[in-house]
Structures are given as structure tokens and as C-alpha cells.
């Protein structure tokens, strides 16, 4: 029996034991939680080997043509859970602007800023699928973030026992064993941007988070990447690293499981995919992945390359280097200071990538795209991350889906370009395909639109009914022009907003404008008409506050949504 099989067996046993412990109503909450966390930490961690060098493939020693006469290199940098107000490009910045993001700001200023850009979803995995394929979940069926068996029961029960003021959630036991966890991913039949660029002669490299499945047809190598330095688990440093600073969130039960269940681990793949072959990273995760990205750029400077750097920062667990923690100054509370330090590291990564491209003479003919997989999370207890927008990750209010979208390409895009047309992650794949000279796949409906004409001033972005769609089960949203409709089927509630007048979604016009409500409902119905069913069922339905963080108690009159996942 190989290590991966052992891990899967232990995972199932562990989650089963945890579910039993949760169900023991005679055991107090704290005792149950302590038992589960101790069990996870002491009995379920696979072996992680010492750090070892990553052996990246070497490109040609000399270039056949100069960089400006070959297809552009493409670097796509994706942050995780970065709030729109965490970067200073739009006048914000962490801690009231005390921690600016000068490198991200420079990338944005040197190219095109999309002022109304959106993530594909308010949780990570569906967004990443749309980025890779240019297709809505109505086409792919990849609608819910994968959840291990038993996890839904665990989260739902513990969340319900917390004194949050929210109503209880629901757990869908039927989802637990319907599809094995390792098979919850983007089907191999879907065609990714990596596959298209690889066919065009690009060397394709992935570094960081994947979250699109790890079985034989879903892992990064199967989906078009020549090489993958994969996030095998989720600690940024060893928990007790003397050069690290952490912030644990007592008000968030998920945070407790992250600290108990995650390790400091990576895996590397270029000739096969053995996810069980884990080793320790070579530094703070954000910095180490950047170190390795620079090596990819240097190794491939004489040929076109596509580098997908999918950062884990600034997702929890909140963990920073002591150097960054000291550099951001005396910010309070402690968790905000750690978070600010993580944003600082992310910004430094962007600066180092741009610096390496300049050093190698590649900057002018390299496209750099920067975005985030969704909005900032309310469960970190920091109320300003998405300001001025309402909502968080795990809601489809603007705070949950507004995301930075910056494209720098000096050879084609003028500095200071601003695009007002709404765009979304579903547009990234066709945009990068056009930049790399790759034809879109035949016989495949691509929902996204090429953003380059708007960025270069050579055209406009047009889409059917001027509409962009989002969904998670019965929670469905459309933006058509300046109008945005949210419908939550469980609550039988609609929110209608005119974003031109009310970008922060404060005034619900559903009752005042029945004609517009009906019009947008028809667009949603048409979008859902021939939808592909979800590849697997959601495991829980969670109440999520719209205007308060997890650290705050909900009172009568506070709005919330139900999120199925």
C-alpha cells in the first residue's frame, strides 16, 4: 500500500471519528473540539521529507529570435482571498492605508486597470475553474469547492454551537460518499489555457495552489502544465518557526482545524504525479514560491513560457515572517498586523517578478496579469478588507466577488489605461489565448470574452445581453449593464441594485422596480435552462452575515444569506 493510499485511509477514519465525536451530545463543546483537534494533529499527518532543491526543466541555451519577435511570455499571478481594499491602487490599503502595496500599484499603473472586475465565484475552486477554462459552471458542472467527507457535518455542528446570533445551517449527509473527495475536480475533458498555450509551443509551469482535483485526469500535469510545484498543505512556515508570527482566530472554528490539520509541505511534479512525495518548502511560502518563479523565468528566458503563480496568501492560517511583522509597525489588533505583514509579502513577490523580467530583458514582451480568486473573508474578523463594498467571500455581494484585474504588457498596453466595462475571471482564458496566438478549442462554448481590445484601445468588450453570471446552487446572480440581481432560493429573497447609483448595494430595489426584477429573472432563467448539473452535491448550507465579520455577533435586523457548498 503506497503512502497516498494510507493517507486517504487515515483521512476517512479521522473524519469518521470526528463526526462521531461531534455527535456526542453528552460531551461539552470544548471537550469535543479539543479531542478532534488533538486527534487530527497527532494521528493524521503524513511524513514530510526535508527540503530538497527543485529541479526545473531547462529551456534552450540560446534564443532562436529576440524576445520582441516571439510570442509574449505570460505570467498570471493569482492572490487568495485578497480584499479589494487590501491594495492601495484604488485608494485603500491595509490598516487605513498604513501598509501600501507599491509593487502591485506599479504593475497596475504600467498597464490596464479594470475598474469593475469580478472573480468567477465567491469561493476559490469554482473561480479557478473559470480562470482555466473560460466557461461558467453551467457548462462544466464544477460549481462547489471540494469538501472532504464528514467536514460538512463538522463545520455545521460546531458553527451552530457558537454564540454568533446566526440561524443554524444544514448538513447534507447524502453528499458525503456520493463522489470520492479525490475525484472532486475539473474534468479532464475540459480544455484549459495551459493546454492551449502548450500546443502553441509555450513551456507551462504552475506554482502554488491548484484546487482543481489531483487524480489522474485532474492534476496540473494532466491539465496542460509541464511542471508543477504544488502546495501540498497549508502552513506558510512551521508552526513554531522562530522567524514566524501567527494569529489564531478563536472565533472561527475552521481556523482551529487548519492549524491542527495542515502541515508545512510541498510536492513537485514534471514527469508524473505522486502527491504523496512531500517535502518541506525552502522558506516562507510566499517568498519561496517567488524564489522558484524567478528560477522558472531564468530557465525559460529563451523560449515563450506561461507561468501560473497561484499564491496561498492572504488566506488563513494567518502567518507571517517576523521581519514583515516588524516592518508594518504597531498595528492593532494583532491579527490585523499579521495580515498586513502577509499582504506586504505578497506585494514584494509581485515586485520581484517584475524585477526579474526586467533583468532578463523580457519585460516589454511579457504579459503580467494580477487578480484574486474572490473577495476578502469575513471569518478573519477584519471589517475593512472589502470596503466600501458589502459582503465577504462566501457571499455574492460586491465584497465577495469584486477583485483586482490588472494587465501589464508594455509592447501593447499603454500605461495608465483604465477600462470601465465590467469583466470577470471567465474572460481570462480567451484573453490569454488571444495574446499567445492560440485558437479557442473547436466545438467548445467559451463564455468569456477577450479583454485585450479594451485594454489596447482597439475595440470593446461585448457579451450577450451585456450580462455576467455567478452561482452556487440555488444562490444565483446576474449583472446586466449597471443592474445586479441576487436571488437566494432557500430564503426566497431577491436583492436588486443599480450599481451605477449604489455600488455598495445599500438600497434593495426589488419591490420598487418589478419590471427590472422580472427582466433580470428572465436572464437568470435562460442562463440556467440547459445547465449541466453539478458534478457533486453540496455538503452543507451555511448562514453567512453580509455586514458583520465572524468576530461580531449578529442581532435582529442584520441581513444574511444562505450559501450551499
Amino acid at each position: 500500500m503506497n503512502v497516498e493510499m494510507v493517507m486517504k485511509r487515515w483521512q476517512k477514519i479521522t473524519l469518521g471519528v470526528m463526526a462521531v465525536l461531534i455527535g456526542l451530545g453528552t460531551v461539552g463543546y470544548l471537550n469535543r473540539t479539543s479531542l478532534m483537534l488533538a486527534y487530527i494533529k497527532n494521528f493524521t499527518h503524513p511524513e514530510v521529507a526535508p527540503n530538497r532543491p527543485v529541479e526545473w526543466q531547462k529551456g534552450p541555451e540560446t534564443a532562436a529570435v529576440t524576445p520582441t519577435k516571439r510570442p509574449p511570455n505570460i505570467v498570471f499571478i493569482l492572490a487568495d482571498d485578497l480584499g479589494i481594499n487590501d491594495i492601495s491602487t484604488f485608494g485603500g490599503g491595509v490598516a487605513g492605508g498604513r501598509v501600501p502595496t507599491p509593487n502591485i500599484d506599479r504593475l497596475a499603473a504600467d498597464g490596464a486597470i479594470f475598474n469593475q472586475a469580478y472573480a468567477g465565484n465567491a469561493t476559490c475552486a469554482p473561480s479557478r475553474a473559470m480562470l482555466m477554462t473560460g466557461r461558467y459552471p453551467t457548462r462544466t458542472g464544477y460549481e462547489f469547492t471540494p469538501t472532504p467527507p464528514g467536514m460538512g457535518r463538522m463545520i455545521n455542528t460546531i458553527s451552530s454551537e457558537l454564540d454568533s446570533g446566526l440561524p443554524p445551517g444544514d448538513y447534507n449527509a447524502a453528499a458525503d460518499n456520493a463522489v470520492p473527495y479525490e475525484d472532486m475536480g475539473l474534468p479532464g475533458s475540459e480544455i484549459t489555457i495551459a493546454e492551449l498555450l502548450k500546443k502553441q509551443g509555450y513551456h507551462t509551469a504552475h506554482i502554488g495552489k491548484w484546487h482543481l482535483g489531483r487524480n489522474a485526469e485532474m492534476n496540473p500535469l494532466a491539465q496542460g502544465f509541464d511542471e508543477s510545484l504544488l502546495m501540498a498543505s497549508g502552513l506558510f512556515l512551521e508552526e513554531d518557526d522562530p522567524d514566524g508570527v501567527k494569529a489564531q482566530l478563536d472565533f472561527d472554528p475552521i481556523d482551529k482545524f487548519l492549524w491542527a490539520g495542515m502541515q508545512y509541505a510541498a510536492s513537485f511534479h514534471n514527469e508524473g504525479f505522486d502527491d504523496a512525495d512531500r517535502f518541506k518548502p525552502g522558506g516562507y511560502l510566499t517568498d519561496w514560491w517567488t524564489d522558484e518563479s524567478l528560477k522558472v523565468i531564468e530557465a525559460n528566458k529563451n523560449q515563450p513560457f506561461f507561468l501560473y503563480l497561484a499564491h496561498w496568501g492572504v488566506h488563513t492560517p494567518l502567518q507571517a515572517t517576523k521581519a514583515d511583522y516588524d516592518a508594518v509597525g504597531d498595528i492593532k489588533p494583532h491579527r490585523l498586523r499579521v495580515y498586513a505583514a502577509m499582504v506586504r509579502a505578497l506585494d514584494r513577490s509581485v515586485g520581484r517578478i517584475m524585477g526579474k523580467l526586467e533583468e532578463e530583458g523580457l519585460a516589454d514582451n511579457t504579459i503580467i496579469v494580477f487578480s484574486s480568486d474572490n473577495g476578502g473573508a469575513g471569518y478573519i474578523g477584519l471589517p475593512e478588507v472589502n470596503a466600501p463594498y458589502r459582503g465577504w467571500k462566501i457571499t455574492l455581494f460586491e465584497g465577495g466577488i469584486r477583485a483586482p484585474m490588472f494587465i501589464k504588457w508594455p509592447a501593447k498596453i499603454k500605461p495608465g489605461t483604465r477600462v470601465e466595462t465590467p469583466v470577470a475571471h471567465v474572460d481570462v482564458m480567451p484573453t490569454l489565448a488571444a495574446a499567445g496566438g492560440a485558437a479557442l478549442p473547436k466545438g467548445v462554448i467559451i463564455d468569456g470574452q477577450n479583454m485585450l481590445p479594451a485594454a489596447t484601445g482597439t475595440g470593446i468588450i461585448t457579451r450577450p445581453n451585456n450580462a455576467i453570471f455567478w452561482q452556487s446552487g440555488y444562490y444565483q446572480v446576474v449583472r446586466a449593464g449597471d443592474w445586479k440581481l441576487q436571488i437566494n432560493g432557500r430564503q426566497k429573497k431577491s436583492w436588486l441594485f443599480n450599481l451605477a447609483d449604489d455600488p455598495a448595494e445599500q438600497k434593495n430595489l426589488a419591490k420598487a422596480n418589478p419590471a427590472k426584477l422580472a427582466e433580470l429573472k428572465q436572464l437568470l432563467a435562460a442562463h440556467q435552462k440547459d445547465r449541466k448539473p453539478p458534478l457533486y452535491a453540496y455538503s452543507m448550507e451555511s448562514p453567512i452575515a453580509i455586514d458583520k465579520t465572524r468576530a461580531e455577533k449578529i442581532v435582529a435586523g442584520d441581513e444574511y444569506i444562505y450559501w450551499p457548498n
Side-chain angles (χ1 to χ4, degrees), residues 162-182:
L162 293 176
D163 187 21
S164 67
L166 286 167
D170 285 320
Y171 162 64
N172 180 15
D176 263 358
N177 298 306
V179 177
Y181 177 61
E182 55 270 21

Side-chain angles (χ1 to χ4, degrees), residues 56 78 80 128 205-211 214 220 227-233 265-267 269 285 288-290 292-293 307-313:
W56 296 103
L78 185 67
D80 199 314
R128 292 162 196 270
H206 159 259
I207 294 178
K209 186 172 176 178
W210 179 239
H211 219 172
R214 297 189 184 183
E227 306 177 275
S228 173
L229 178 57
L230 186 68
M231 181 181 87
S233 196
S267 59
H269 319 275
L285 212 55
W288 181 60
W289 284 349
T290 307
E292 297 302 323
S293 296
L307 170 62
Y308 172 34
L309 173 54
H311 274 299
W312 182 224

Side-chain angles (χ1 to χ4, degrees), residues 197-217:
L197 293 175
K198 188 174 181 177
K199 286 182 180 179
Q200 286 296 108
Y202 278 75
H203 181 79
T204 56
H206 159 259
I207 294 178
K209 186 172 176 178
W210 179 239
H211 219 172
L212 295 176
R214 297 189 184 183
N215 72 16
E217 69 171 86

Side-chain angles (χ1 to χ4, degrees), residues 101 103 114 135 211 267 269 294 307 333 337 360 395 475 565:
T101 50
N103 294 299
F114 292 83
R135 284 157 57 84
H211 219 172
S267 59
H269 319 275
L294 303 189
L307 170 62
R337 185 171 176 180
E360 299 293 348
T395 81
Y475 185 19
N565 188 77

Side-chain angles (χ1 to χ4, degrees), residues 461-483:
I461 300 169
T462 60
R463 62 183 90 238
N465 298 306
N466 202 18
I468 303 174
F469 299 90
W470 298 265
Q471 68 189 60
S472 186
Y474 51 68
Y475 185 19
Q476 299 170 2
V477 174
V478 58
R479 173 173 176 170
D482 290 326
W483 287 91

Side-chain angles (χ1 to χ4, degrees), residues 3 7 11 40-49 214 230-240 256-267 275-281 283 285 289 312 316-317 319:
V3 177
M7 285 172 55
Q11 190 176 54
I40 295 172
K41 188 175 279 289
N42 293 323
F43 296 104
T44 64
H45 284 187
E47 188 69 26
V48 179
R214 297 189 184 183
L230 186 68
M231 181 181 87
S233 196
L235 291 186
F236 290 85
L237 285 169
E238 296 280 14
E239 187 173 348
D240 58 354
K256 297 178 184 295
F257 289 103
L258 293 180
W259 284 107
M262 286 187 164
Q263 295 175 280
Y264 182 51
S267 59
D275 192 24
D277 184 17
R278 300 179 173 206
F279 59 93
K280 293 185 184 298
L285 212 55
W289 284 349
W312 182 224
T316 52
Q319 203 174 12

Side-chain angles (χ1 to χ4, degrees), residues 366-386:
T366 296
I367 300 171
I368 307 177
V369 182
F370 180 87
S371 192
S372 177
D373 64 345
N374 43 248
Y379 54 72
I380 58 176
L382 301 175
E384 300 300 323
V385 291
N386 296 322

Side-chain angles (χ1 to χ4, degrees), residues 76 78 118-135 137 142-143 145 212 308 372-375 400-401 425-426 470:
F76 178 34
L78 185 67
Y118 290 95
N121 199 282
T123 58
C124 48
S127 278
R128 292 162 196 270
M130 278 181 264
L131 285 165
M132 287 290 110
T133 65
R135 284 157 57 84
Y142 196 64
E143 189 162 338
T145 294
L212 295 176
Y308 172 34
S372 177
D373 64 345
N374 43 248
I401 53 176
H425 281 168
V426 75
W470 298 265

